[in-house]
Amino acid sequence: MPTSQPDVSGSSEDRTTPDDLLHARTGTEASPEDLVLASGKDITPHTLEWARRKLEAEGPAALDKLLP
C-alpha cells in the first residue's frame, strides 16, 4: 500500500516563513515586564530597571531583538 509523501518539489526558500510573519507584535507597547520575561529573567526590581532603560534606549525594537 503506497503512503502519501508531502510535496517536496519546491526549494527550501519557497518554504521559508517571511520575517514579518514571525513577529507577533499586537500593536501595543512593550512593557518592562514583557521585556524581562522575553529575556528569560525573573521579574525583580533590578531586572525591571534594566528593562526600562533598554526600552527607553531602543524602543519596541528591544523586544523584537529578543524574540525569534
Side-chain angles (χ1 to χ4, degrees), residues 30-44 47-52 55 63:
S31 70
E33 290 85 358
D34 293 334
L35 192 61
V36 170
L37 293 174
S39 70
K41 299 175 182 177
D42 291 330
I43 296 177
T44 66
T47 58
L48 286 173
E49 184 56 34
W50 163 81
R52 283 187 195 95
L55 284 170
L63 188 59

Side-chain angles (χ1 to χ4, degrees), residues 14-33:
D14 293 339
R15 295 185 306 235
T16 304
T17 304
D19 190 52
D20 62 330
L21 296 178
L22 294 174
H23 298 282
R25 182 171 300 161
T26 61
T28 59
E29 291 296 315
S31 70
E33 290 85 358

Side-chain angles (χ1 to χ4, degrees), residues 5-12 15:
Q5 296 282 330
D7 182 19
V8 292
S9 61
S11 71
S12 63
R15 295 185 306 235

